[in-house]
Amino acid sequence: MNKAIAVFSGGLDCTVAASVYAKDYEIHAITFNYGQKAFEQELKASQIICEKMGFKHHIINLDWLSKISTSSLNTSEEIPNVDFKDLDDAEKSAESASSVWVPARNTVFTSIAASYAESIGAEIIIVGWDKEEANTFPDNSKEFLKSFNELFKVGSPIDIEIKAPAIDLDKDEIVKLGSDVNAPMELSYSCYKGTDIHCGVCESCMRRKRGFKKAGIKDLTIYEK
């Protein structure tokens, strides 16, 4: 079977993305530890999902990234809470995104995934980048995806392509896709804060909540609020 690398935090988007290719590829999922508050919960979710789906699982520690980051995800800074109305407010979304931005995170993750791909001869790298979050996170955008794939054409001795099945999808459409491919979405973990139960008020939790609601699919996630 052909091999694939999945950049895998155990979150909703990457779980759905990897599930799209689960039947056709031997998937090697990579979970990164960059000092994020949610690492323990992300790792737990990743391990459970990988075991259920038959993915191979690898952990990479990026201590240096945590040391240079000023993000509220991996510093003592408080992660902002948001309301549903804030999700479509460009100014407030930009403010929230700025707080949780980790320097060049997806650039770093994808480059490391490419190293793994070259080392095992994987054909594709699977990521959970999506249209909704690309509005405030440029490293989730279609332009970023296209640019990285162009880079691989000139910078790698093997054919590697990044696959982002959610690149044109909003969160509710990702939930619908996850339902279609039987992704174990109920096992995924999205909360920025790293609480045992999803906090329900950070931007990631709120987008997850809204996605299931708009999709009309039962949300089995337990939230604190």
Side-chain angles (χ1 to χ4, degrees):
M1 183 177 286
N2 295 332
K3 297 177 181 178
I5 303 295
V7 177
F8 204 79
S9 68
L12 175 64
D13 305 331
C14 64
T15 297
V16 172
S19 296
V20 169
Y21 297 97
K23 293 181 180 179
D24 299 319
Y25 289 87
E26 175 188 293
I27 294 180
H28 293 248
I30 300 175
T31 300
F32 293 95
N33 179 6
Y34 53 98
Q36 68 271 39
K37 294 179 173 81
F39 174 68
E40 289 188 8
Q41 296 301 328
E42 290 179 1
L43 177 60
K44 181 180 177 181
S46 296
Q47 290 173 329
I48 292 172
I49 293 167
C50 286
E51 182 176 357
K52 179 179 178 63
M53 299 297 290
F55 302 160
K56 299 181 184 299
H57 188 236
H58 311 272
I59 303 166
I60 296 181
N61 293 311
L62 299 176
D63 293 341
W64 61 269
L65 185 54
S66 67
K67 292 176 181 178
I68 66 170
S69 174
T70 58
S71 171
S72 60
L73 293 188
N74 57 359
T75 67
S76 60
E77 292 296 317
E78 186 174 349
I79 293 171
N81 296 338
V82 300
D83 295 322
F84 277 125
K85 67 180 185 307
D86 297 333
L87 298 179
D88 295 318
D89 183 309
E91 183 176 342
K92 290 185 178 180
S93 291
E95 182 178 335
S96 174
S98 177
S99 171
V100 300
W101 178 264
V102 177
R105 181 175 59 177
N106 281 349
T107 301
V108 172
F109 290 179
T110 310
S111 297
I112 292 173
S115 294
Y116 264 72
E118 288 187 4
S119 72
I120 66 172
E123 296 181 351
I124 65 172
I125 296 170
I126 306 165
V127 297
W129 307 342
D130 65 89
K131 177 182 175 183
E132 182 169 325
E133 294 188 9
N135 290 324
T136 47
F137 295 99
D139 60 356
N140 272 252
S141 67
K142 182 176 282 189
E143 291 78 12
F144 186 75
L145 172 65
K146 181 179 178 181
S147 296
F148 232 121
N149 276 328
E150 290 295 324
L151 178 65
F152 286 156
K153 289 179 182 179
V154 298
S156 177
I158 68 172
D159 291 330
I160 304 173
E161 183 180 3
I162 305 172
K163 296 286 190 179
I167 200 68
D168 291 316
L169 305 182
D170 287 330
K171 202 68 73 172
D172 60 310
E173 296 170 310
I174 294 172
V175 171
K176 290 176 183 177
L177 175 61
S179 179
D180 290 342
V181 299
N182 295 315
M185 296 184 287
E186 71 283 359
L187 301 177
S188 65
Y189 184 87
S190 301
C191 184
Y192 284 154
K193 297 189 179 185
T195 50
D196 290 341
I197 298 171
H198 284 71
C199 76
V201 291
C202 71
E203 181 178 347
S204 187
C205 279
M206 294 297 278
R207 291 192 184 279
R208 181 185 179 108
K209 278 183 179 180
R210 187 175 73 168
F212 276 98
K213 184 176 181 179
K214 289 179 67 176
I217 292 175
K218 186 176 181 180
D219 186 0
L220 299 177
T221 311
I222 299 174
Y223 300 97
E224 287 184 354
K225 298 180 180 179

